[in-house]
Structure formats: C-alpha cells, structure tokens
Amino acid sequence: MEQKPVTDFRNEKVIEIHGLNKSFGNFHVLKGVDLDLYRGENLVVLGKSGTGKSVLIKIIIGLLRPDRGDVKVLNKVVDEISYKELLELRLKVGFSFQNSALYDSMTVRQNLEFPLVRNRKNLSRADINKAVESTLDAVGLLHAINQMPSELSGGQRKRIGIARTLILQPEIMLYDEPTAGLDPITCIEINKLINEVQERFHTSSIVITHDLTCAKAVGNRVAMLLDGQFQRQGTFEDVFNTNDDRVKPFYEYNFIQ
Amino acid sequence: MENTENSPVLNEEVKTPGKLSRMFLTIYDVNRFIMRFFKEGFLPPYEGKELLRQCYEIGYRSALLISTTGFITGVVFTKQSRPSLSEFGATSWLPSLVGIALLRTLAPLLTGLIAAGKVGSSIGAELGSMRVTEQIDAMEVSATNPFKFLVSTRVLAATITMPILTFYTALVGLLGSLLNVSMSEGTSAKAFFQYSLEQITFLDITASTIKAILFGFTIGMVGCYQGYNSSKGTEGVGKAANSAVVIAMFLIFIEEVVSVQFFSLFRA
C-alpha cells in the first residue's frame, strides 16, 4: 500500500464548514462539524458506517439541508442561495455516487451527454462527441461507449459515474465510497483514477470511505468522523498514531483484513 | 431530497405526526407538486425529445391493449343490448345506442382505467426505481432539473395522448359493434356509422375530450408523485407502482361521476 506524498495545500479554501448540525428524528448525526477543503487537495473523510459521512457531502451539494451551521462552497453559502444559483454551483461540483447512479435506460454515451447537452448549450454535435470520447478515454472506457449500464461490471460503472461528473469539468469532486463493493485490484485502479483526476483536471476532492487502503493511497489529508465531529485531522500517520480506542480498532481491522 | 424546491414536506423535522396531520401534510405536498408542474412544465428549457418519447411510450405502447379492450367492449355491449331493444322492436336503435354509450362514457372510462393500470404503474415503478437508486439525485447534482425532465414530460404526454387514445377506443369499439350488427342484422358499414354518429353532438365530443384530458393528467400526476417521492428501497418501488394504479383509478371514478353531473347540466 503506497502512501500519497504529503503536500501542504493550505492556500485557498474551496469548501468551509462551520458548526454543522444534522439530525434525523432523534438521531443526531452531525454535531457541530467544522471542516475546510483547500484548492487542489484530496481530503479523505473516514468513519464507521452511519456516522454521517455521506450526509455531509449531500449537504455540501445541496441534496440535504443542514439543521444548523454554515456550508460555504466556492464562497457561496449553499443553504442561502436560490435554486438557480444552486444549479450553477453544481456545475462546479461533481458528485460520484456510491452505487454509481447511472441512468439505466440510457447508454454510456447518453449518460455522459445528458448533463452536457443541458448545461453547455453552445456546443455542437461534434464538440459533444469529442468531449464524451475524451472523458471516456480518460477513465479508460472508450470501448464501452455504446454499452448499457447493465452490461458493465461494478468497477466500470464507478468509472463511468466518475466520467459523467468529469464531463462538466468541475472544480470540486465529491466521491461517496468510491471503492465500496469492489475487489482489491479494482480498488487499486479506482484509487489510481482518483489521483489521475486530481492531477489532470486539477480538482479538489472529498473522498468518503472506510477503506484505509483507499485513504492512504488518495488522501493528502485525512479527517476522521467520530461521534458526530471531526476529532482527528491530519496526515494518515497523524490520525492513526494514537491510542484512542475509537480509532485503533478501525486501523487494526482494516489491516488484519 | 430536502432542498426547498424539491422536497416532500414529510421530512425528518416532523416528529411522527398523527394520522390527521399526516393527511393534511400529504394534501399540502400533493398541492405543491401540482403547482410545481404548472410553474415549471410550460417554461423553457423544453424537453421536447423526451416528451415525444413519452408520448410514444404511453400512446403507441398502449394501443394494442386498448384496441383489444375497445373491440371486445363494442361486441359484448351490442350483443347484451340487443334483447332489451328487440322487446320494443327497437333494434334499429342499436348503432345509436352503442355510439352514444361508447363516446360519452365507455371509451373515456375504459381508456382511463386501462391507462391507469398500464401507464400509471409503469411511471410509478420507473420513477420509484430511479429515486431509490439515486438516479434522480444524480440528475439533480449534475445541474439538471429532474422534475422538468421526468415529471413534466410524463404528465404532459399522458394528458396529450389520452384524448387520442379515447377516440381511438371509441372507433375500435364501433368496429366491434359493426361486426356484431352486420352479422346479426346484415347492416352495411355505411348505414351503421350513419346511425351511430347521427345522435352524437358537439357537446358529447367536447365532454369526452375534457374528461380524457382530466384522466390523462390524473394518471400522469399520480404516477409521477408516487414514484418521485418513493422511499424504503425495492419495497417502496412496489408500493409506488401499486398506489399509482389504485389512487388513479379511484380518482378517475370520482372525476367521471362529477363530470357526468356537470355536463348533464348542458344537455337539458
């Protein structure tokens, strides 16, 4: 397991979260979360299932509303902007779903064209084809262009899902469990792709995962969500160099596995 | 989905409301859903290609089932009505009776009920499955308005195609009746259509068209509402498809009763 080189990205903040709270009924998931994402960095958010990792990125993209607290994305407070402004913001933020969420009635080509034709109206048919093909090429799946999502493997679906978000050339990428349910070899390929996306498309990313191999391979910085708050942040070593009983089993289980 | 523009009202903020509160919240939510359709459905950008595709799916794909039902209804209705009419020596009224019955009530109602079963369940299941597999969220995050693409197009397509299907059902029903009449009484096609259509008024055609539009809108709206707001995984998809059919059929019967009362005011 190769670790990503440590780089200090503390320049411009692209996401700023302060005092974020979110409950579902009586279940208080996020309890005053504070988090910043800097331009160009890959931030890995770790935590057990059900700790609110996915909720956090769904709040960032405006799919869920916070109960309290501020979420600022590219200097816009997500909860305060109009629906039109939110749609404009979403053009700059890509979201890769855990189950890929490909449109199963459309081919791979149509899946990639869908956001493009609706948001880049000045593009000609030739431009659209070129964008679709080059994005598919970037994720190594140009040959699957005319296939239906049901004909693809889990790893291929993940790649197409990432390609569909990349086609709008976002500044920020949000990955929800990118390696969940994949075999170790495909996990390595997806980790590599996340790093390639960071370098090639100059994106800033939040990667939600509980896979430490993924965290170590793609994260410039790691933040661990414990009891509704980010209790530990820093490099992979900073986070796991502890005797905290809530953190140690997580590390040990992943490596024994 | 809890963004103000998209969310159902029944979110996690509401702590286990009572039955009455839940009913009012649902009515409010349905009302918002319908208002959103009128607010967004007719404004650009238009999803013309998807609208045409839905018209094809809803209209053309239902044609075979509707043809069969319409034809059988025409044959059976004619056959069952003959003994009663022949008691009064009025079998010559058979074509007019069938024509009026088909156009005024049978064609709109049958088409509505069949479409509620076929189209309503299909819309409910499709949108429900898209909701639980996060495909609707995926549209949302790719800066596309899923309501416009999925809901507006389906509701409009159902509303547009229902009047066409209704008159098609009436025509096929008349053909079924013609077959029966020509075999029993040896009536010619020209005479049959002349007798069956001469009693039909402009009001009958208008009333049937309005009813068909109303039924189509109901089927599309109920199917979309149930599917778009479905939850709880695959169980939710089944529930969405099922309730889309049950609620649409129930509303169609209510609309039929109300519209019959309403249009009878103009017949006097």
Side-chain angles (χ1 to χ4, degrees), chain B residues 176-218:
Chain B
S177 178
L178 167 67
L179 180 76
N180 189 281
V181 168
S182 62
M183 281 169 71
S184 302
E185 279 92 20
T187 312
S188 70
K190 190 183 170 188
F192 176 84
F193 279 108
Q194 195 181 332
Y195 285 128
S196 60
L197 298 178
E198 73 183 4
Q199 295 297 322
I200 292 166
T201 61
F202 179 70
L203 181 62
D204 292 329
I205 294 169
T206 311
S208 285
T209 310
I210 292 171
K211 272 200 288 186
I213 289 172
L214 207 57
F215 293 167
F217 180 78
T218 304

Side-chain angles (χ1 to χ4, degrees), chain A residues 99-112 141 144-161 164, chain B residues 133 135:
Chain A
N99 64 2
S100 310
L102 298 182
Y103 311 132
D104 48 21
S105 60
M106 301 181 194
T107 63
V108 168
R109 179 193 287 279
Q110 289 165 335
N111 262 277
L112 266 73
L141 280 174
I145 192 164
N146 292 318
Q147 283 181 267
M148 296 299 286
S150 57
E151 297 167 338
L152 304 172
S153 69
Q156 287 175 321
R157 289 169 69 92
K158 294 263 185 194
R159 283 170 176 269
I160 300 295
R164 189 177 60 188
Chain B
T133 56
Q135 291 177 53

